[in-house]
Amino acid sequence: MKSQKKRKTASTKTPQRDAKRRNSTENSENIVNQSKITRFFGTNSAENSFVSLCSSEESSSKPSLSRNSSFSESIQVIDLTEPDSTEPSSPPPPPPPPRQQQPVVGSLVQTKSERSTEAEESHQNVDLREISLSQSTQRSTQLASSPSTLFDENKVPFYLQNFTTILLEIETCDFIERLFSGEERATFKRFFEASVPAQKLYVRLFQRKPQWFRVEGVKYADIADDMTPLFEELVEKGLARAGADLQDIEEIFDLLSAPEVKTLAREFRLDGSQSKSALIQSLQKLGSEQKSVVDFFVRKRDTKSAGKSNNLIESIVRRAKTMVGPIFRLIEDGVSVFARMLILYSPMHSSGMAGGKELPPGQLQLSLEVQVRIGQVQYPQFEIRRGDLFPHRESLIAYERALRLAAAITATTDLEKCLDVLQEARELFDQLEQSASMQYEARLPRTLRPFTAGAILVRLLAYGTELLEKARRFDDAVALLETLLGQEVHRLHKRAVWWNRLALDFERHLRSPSKAKDALRRACLDPHVMVHASSRLLLWQRAARLAARDKQLLSELSPLRFESEGIPEISIDGKLLPGCVSVFMEGETVLRVEQVALQHYVSNGYEDGIHGEGSTLSTIVGLFLWDLLFLPGVANTFISPFQSCPLDLFCNEFYDNRKELIDEKLKQIRASSHDDLCVELEKIWNEHNGEMCSLVSWSRFTDFDQLKGLVQCFPLDALAALIQLFCQQYRYCRSGVPDLCLWNATTKSLLFSEVKGPGDRLSHKQIVWLDTFLKLGIKAEVCYVKGINRKRFQRTISSEEERPATQEASEGN
């Protein structure tokens, strides 16, 4: 009774909430903040990282000269995405007013069709096919309408328009009959036969976690006040099912609120003061104990008496279902059909996270579509040419299954559950290797391979090696690493990491130095390892550790040797925050180690500086290459309207596909003046500011003048060489760039500095980048910040102040 009164009291407030809901944007709850999205494929990537569960751009810091001086740091939970993300980590500033643009080939155009409120209220069908087909011919990423007009109540809501438009565009593709069975296409037809309110309800529930829904808990003021008829219509159309026959006690308990579980427990004479989970366990235990006792006495009696053994469990289930009321859920097969169609629309956004929750395959596309339509996100112009990724229906189903396994392993922190998912992934991978699917994936262009079941499973198995090591199952981890190294189709850029991990497990955990050395010898023969200096240096460092007892090993592995120039070092002092090891103070201000170094450099001749790591340099490179990045006519580079870079950017093919144009651009840079180059950059800056590009972080610089001051400090030959390096090996250029970029526009001085706090040391990628800058004639160094306590810091300052006076006295004598 108390719980009913509480619900009754709460219901009196619903009109106010409904009024607020009507005044707000109709589908605002479906819009996901871009900075909170962490996709299994790093948003818009060619080979996205597996899950950066909460990916956000690292805050850049700078004293009064820089914009971002926030102390907060981004936290990445797991990087199953490796830094493949082709989206900027944080959303760009609001885009400028829309410009006149040519429609993008293969995309959709916003519709201005309206339907009357009367038709909507009477639940009459609207021919959304007609609306959506008019959209599916073209698509503009810029909206002519202002956002305030986009949510007119007389219009079909955006979430339904987006859903149907995407489905209908994919339905017109040639591969639809090959990838979907007749029954699956019939599901598609039944959806359009449903009334518009039922369609709206289906899409709303499709965007939520697959589960049973209590009718009384599903409230959408823009659809209907009473959802029961709409649920019944979806059941009639074969798109949903009712829960009248549901007998799974755990699923039923999940639908109950904590007060309801306590009420149920009291009815069966249990202590209702416990938590919900404890009460559920008590109810289940009560039912199982009663069942075993009754079974003991009726074991040899007639079946009519034996049936009484389940009476208590049935009573609990029956009473719980009465409390829950009518329940429904979408049919899983139908959800899978629509998810696969959304996957085909934008394969690189097939999975992701939002608001800390894993998005099932296919749902991220809907969120991005909404963001584009309301102007929150703006993509550049490019041609879309969808590749033929999947040879048959089974390959598409395997891809969806792999995505769901990836979602499952990132949705739990339970090690045993993760290992169970890993085992299932291993079995699926073995099936692919034994079938013709892996051979087909090997024949695909390298730009399309990441969007196959094999690529997802290889990424998942690579993460699985870490799980096995965490469980101290090192023999299994070694076997899995051998499996990964046995295939040469997917994630070839990670082979050096796998070889290094294999040698580490042999040496440190399995106590077999001879096998560790053998692993390095095999790595030395791997052509994919020799591609980049950072891969060779990683293995060379491992060999140096093993060579303490085997001097001949280094000579055997000489192809891995990395010759580096001496990297300059400086050391400065910083006052530690009491109780912290690497957090500093300046007066009352708390500083990170990079901010301490930045203040030091600014006070020693550098007018400007940014803590941006790789984003500072990549922004300059991206602006110079803007037209070449989105060059039309290059095959297998743009297969989705939500791309922020071409797919071949992550492969050597990017340079090969544009060699003449890139060489001409580099020649132009070397022959031009700084002023001419800045004029070109300013044009790109003004025309495309705010458009999504994986190389460009529009918020990295306060304005164009700050960017201009930095560009004028680069030697032109060195600038051209850096741009060429990005074109040829972009995958290896995104990490390891020094923390700080500092310059003085007056003296034309430029410095890249890698900052290290107490106990920190250089990584192999950072060493390669510092060496690269030095060889190009750009000043680079390591800045070590030593942490000292307050008293020692004050003594150091006092001695520095007294030293000049002592020197003057000695000179006077």
Side-chain angles (χ1 to χ4, degrees), residues 293-302 305-309:
V293 171
V294 174
D295 281 346
F296 177 79
F297 288 106
V298 302
R299 187 175 300 147
K300 295 186 178 182
R301 297 182 186 177
D302 58 343
S305 300
K308 296 179 181 180
S309 63

Side-chain angles (χ1 to χ4, degrees), residues 612-659:
E613 300 186 358
S615 64
T616 306
L617 185 58
S618 70
T619 295
I620 296 174
V621 174
L623 292 174
F624 273 112
L625 295 176
W626 189 277
D627 293 337
L628 298 179
L629 288 170
F630 303 102
L631 185 70
V634 182
N636 301 316
T637 54
F638 290 100
I639 61 175
S640 164
F642 308 132
Q643 285 184 231
S644 59
C645 73
L647 298 181
D648 61 351
L649 182 62
F650 297 88
C651 313
N652 296 334
E653 285 84 350
F654 178 81
Y655 178 78
D656 297 337
N657 291 337
R658 305 163 180 79
K659 186 177 186 305

Side-chain angles (χ1 to χ4, degrees), residues 106-114 126-139 156-172 188 191-192 196 199 203 345 369 373:
S107 300
L108 313 176
V109 172
Q110 179 200 8
T111 181
K112 294 186 179 180
S113 303
E114 298 184 1
V126 174
D127 192 355
L128 288 174
R129 286 173 172 268
E130 182 178 350
I131 295 175
S132 299
L133 284 173
S134 67
Q135 296 174 319
S136 62
T137 55
Q138 293 179 329
R139 179 181 190 276
V156 175
F158 258 12
Y159 61 86
L160 183 54
Q161 285 190 31
N162 295 340
F163 188 78
T164 56
T165 300
I166 291 174
L167 298 185
L168 288 167
E169 178 170 332
I170 296 301
E171 188 193 32
T172 60
F188 180 80
F191 171 80
F192 282 99
V196 168
Q199 292 177 358
V203 176
Y345 182 70
E369 185 75 20
R373 284 182 173 272

Side-chain angles (χ1 to χ4, degrees), residues 543-792:
R545 297 186 184 97
L546 287 169
R549 299 180 181 179
D550 186 355
K551 302 299 183 182
Q552 187 179 357
L553 180 64
L554 293 181
S555 60
E556 294 180 32
L557 303 179
S558 57
L560 299 175
R561 185 185 300 274
F562 175 78
E563 299 293 342
S564 172
E565 298 183 4
I567 299 175
E569 300 177 359
I570 68 167
S571 179
I572 62 176
D573 294 329
K575 182 171 64 174
L576 283 172
L577 185 68
C580 298
V581 178
S582 58
V583 182
F584 300 84
M585 291 186 66
E586 179 68 29
E588 299 297 326
T589 306
V590 179
L591 302 175
R592 290 183 297 176
V593 63
E594 293 86 2
Q595 292 173 304
V596 175
L598 195 53
Q599 288 184 346
H600 165 79
Y601 284 116
V602 169
S603 62
N604 283 272
Y606 289 96
E607 294 179 344
D608 217 337
I610 292 178
H611 171 213
E613 300 186 358
S615 64
T616 306
L617 185 58
S618 70
T619 295
I620 296 174
V621 174
L623 292 174
F624 273 112
L625 295 176
W626 189 277
D627 293 337
L628 298 179
L629 288 170
F630 303 102
L631 185 70
V634 182
N636 301 316
T637 54
F638 290 100
I639 61 175
S640 164
F642 308 132
Q643 285 184 231
S644 59
C645 73
L647 298 181
D648 61 351
L649 182 62
F650 297 88
C651 313
N652 296 334
E653 285 84 350
F654 178 81
Y655 178 78
D656 297 337
N657 291 337
R658 305 163 180 79
K659 186 177 186 305
E660 294 183 3
L661 295 174
I662 291 176
D663 289 344
E664 182 63 29
K665 171 67 74 173
L666 298 177
K667 182 179 179 181
Q668 173 193 346
I669 291 174
R670 293 187 176 97
S672 298
S673 66
H674 285 92
D675 291 337
D676 291 340
L677 292 179
C678 288
V679 170
E680 177 186 346
L681 284 184
E682 187 172 15
K683 180 181 178 182
I684 298 294
W685 178 279
N686 293 332
E687 286 185 359
H688 301 285
N689 198 305
E691 294 180 6
M692 300 291 280
C693 177
S694 62
L695 278 77
V696 178
S697 176
W698 299 104
S699 60
R700 178 56 55 219
F701 297 91
T702 55
D703 51 33
F704 179 76
D705 289 338
Q706 189 186 32
L707 172 64
K708 179 179 178 181
L710 173 56
V711 172
Q712 290 181 334
C713 295
F714 272 94
L716 294 182
D717 287 341
L719 179 61
L722 288 171
I723 293 175
Q724 183 173 3
L725 183 63
F726 270 74
C727 290
Q728 293 177 333
Q729 296 182 332
Y730 174 69
R731 179 178 292 282
Y732 301 94
C733 292
R734 293 169 302 152
S735 57
V737 181
D739 297 308
L740 303 181
C741 177
L742 307 121
W743 68 94
N744 187 320
T746 304
T747 62
K748 306 301 181 187
S749 55
L750 176 64
L751 169 68
F752 283 89
S753 175
E754 180 62 39
V755 183
K756 293 298 175 184
D760 200 0
R761 61 181 182 179
L762 292 173
S763 70
H764 62 285
K765 291 184 178 180
Q766 292 167 346
I767 293 173
V768 170
W769 259 116
L770 290 168
D771 182 73
T772 299
F773 282 124
L774 291 171
K775 289 178 179 178
L776 292 176
I778 298 175
K779 186 177 180 181
E781 65 186 23
V782 185
C783 177
Y784 290 98
V785 181
K786 295 181 179 179
I788 58 178
N789 58 36
R790 181 175 301 180
K791 292 182 179 180
R792 182 183 169 192

Side-chain angles (χ1 to χ4, degrees), residues 448-462:
L448 300 181
R449 291 182 196 174
F451 315 115
T452 59
I456 304 300
L457 293 172
V458 166
R459 192 187 308 275
L460 184 54
L461 295 180

Side-chain angles (χ1 to χ4, degrees), residues 31 42 66 126 161 177 215 222 299 306 332 344-345 363 400 409 416 477 496 504 538 617 631 672 689 709 798 811:
I31 301 175
S66 184
V126 174
Q161 285 190 31
E177 292 187 1
V215 174
D222 64 308
R299 187 175 300 147
E332 292 81 351
L344 292 171
Y345 182 70
Q363 294 190 13
E400 184 201 12
I409 206 170
E416 290 302 321
L504 174 65
L538 174 65
L617 185 58
L631 185 70
S672 298
N689 198 305
S798 299
E811 290 174 0

